[in-house]
Amino acid sequence: MNRDLIVSSSATGLEIALLEDKRLVEIHREQAGKGLAVGDIYLGKVKKIAPGHNAAFVDVGTPKDGFLHYTDLGPKVQSFCKYVSLAISGKQPDPLLKNTSLEPDIIKTGKMADVLNKQEVLLVQVLKEPIASKGPRLTCEVTLAGSYIVLAPFSETVSISRKIRKKEERERLSRVVESIKPEKFGIIVRTAANGRTVAELHADITAQLERWEQILGQVAQNRPPKRVLSEEGRTSQLLRDLLNNEVSHIYVDDKQMASQLKEQLRKQSNGQEKAVNYYSGQAPVFEHFKVTRQINASFGKNVKMASGAELVIETTEAMHVVDVNSGTKIGHRGQTQATNALTTNLEAVEEIARQIRLRDLGGLIVIDFIDMKDPEHRQMVQRRMKEALSNDRSQHEILPLSRFCLMQITRERTRQELDLSVSETCPSCKGTGKIKNTSLIIDEIENSLGYMLNELDYQNLRVIVHPFVEAYIKRGIISLQWKWFWKFKKWVPVTADSHYTFTQYRFYDGPEEELKQ
């Protein structure tokens, strides 16, 4: 699988697209000067203890106070708070924690009021950005993420990413990290550490210890609420998470940023700096790599699939709901209804998994598949969904299909899901309604042609469209109609009907049999 990262830079911020085999699967936007982000570390002050929630509300300088639950304090929170108090007073505690005495662990079933006091100053990290009317979610278990490891002060635990499956490699990494990690620091070994040398892991640990020392210096110089360490921008985070041997190319339209990325990757000594390319073309980088067109085709309430089936995606306050609709899909000749339902559902699984990653949907996702009575078919759909979401970096859980063919997925939500408007004012009704982006009509027709000619093997296919669309298809010496002939090896007659709306088109097999409405 070829994985390409496209980075578009502008005065308002960054847009980052991840393509897998030239298909858009993730889109990220980072606004210039954006405030709070996941991973940022703040010096905050407790504003309120909420016994009913067993939580505290902490002022970190955002419009809504941050939410800190008792379970996010961590067992060593008393040692951590004592240490931070020393740093605030200017007594310069040891960054390596060698001479730091540890307090007893707090009990798991304890009360927030027994641990924290109102107006107490804390060092907290952002777990989730503000979503809707809720403030950020915070934790006292501060971690510092590097390329290969995650450093956790006041912890002794060493854990290995579950995605590293080889027993020998897991044991090797565990031995190596245990031998080089500083005392009273925990280490989480990331998937990217697979196959890395002792020197590379030690350098990453050292870099995170330096960041920890920077935090202590900021704590001593500032008063709450104050951000003492900002997580890298979304670009750096994506590179840190994605840059392994699976990434083929990185295209950046900013020369300075491209040079910085090359230098950053050169320090990691894995040869990935060769993947960075400065894009200097005339067309915008997203237009050149057809990212904009894929965004227009992928967002919105209705998402068409190549076979003619479609997804209907609705978002409510509590969940996301996806309905699989056979739409105008025409089943294979000779196939039973059960087989057609299965093939449509399996096709839908791939698109649903892509939409979940693309829109960064989180929380509860309920999918209404086309009814399947065969238990084996339902199991096939569940297995395919697990495979399709195997590249998803967010934690998720997929439940089996119910007897009503409903699937429930829970997915970690740390940011507001991405919602891009891809509709335009209708040229026919002068703004009284909305239609899908008209630039996609030709793509829809071509996709349907490919499916009907190659998959269903129709021999006498013809298409009827609006006169303007017919003119566009037939214009030029090398028209779209001729390109379709060379591509599909069959001539498709195109005729116009002035009674059709601008976006309306229909397929016929021969003179009478209508295939699509």
Side-chain angles (χ1 to χ4, degrees), residues 4 20 58 88 111 149 248 267 279 342-343 396 422 457 467 471 513:
D4 298 330
E20 292 181 353
V58 182
I88 292 172
K111 303 295 183 183
I149 61 95
S248 307
K267 292 178 181 177
Y279 172 78
L342 175 62
T343 56
H396 59 270
V422 293
D457 198 30
E513 185 183 353

Side-chain angles (χ1 to χ4, degrees), residues 70 73-85 100-107 111-112 114-116 120 122 140 154:
Y70 184 87
L73 291 176
K76 297 291 184 184
V77 66
Q78 291 180 322
S79 303
F80 184 64
C81 289
K82 182 179 177 182
Y83 184 83
V84 171
S85 297
T100 303
S101 59
L102 300 180
E103 300 292 326
D105 291 3
I106 62 171
I107 60 175
K111 303 295 183 183
M112 181 65 82
D114 297 332
V115 180
L116 297 183
E120 186 169 350
L122 298 173
C140 284
F154 293 94

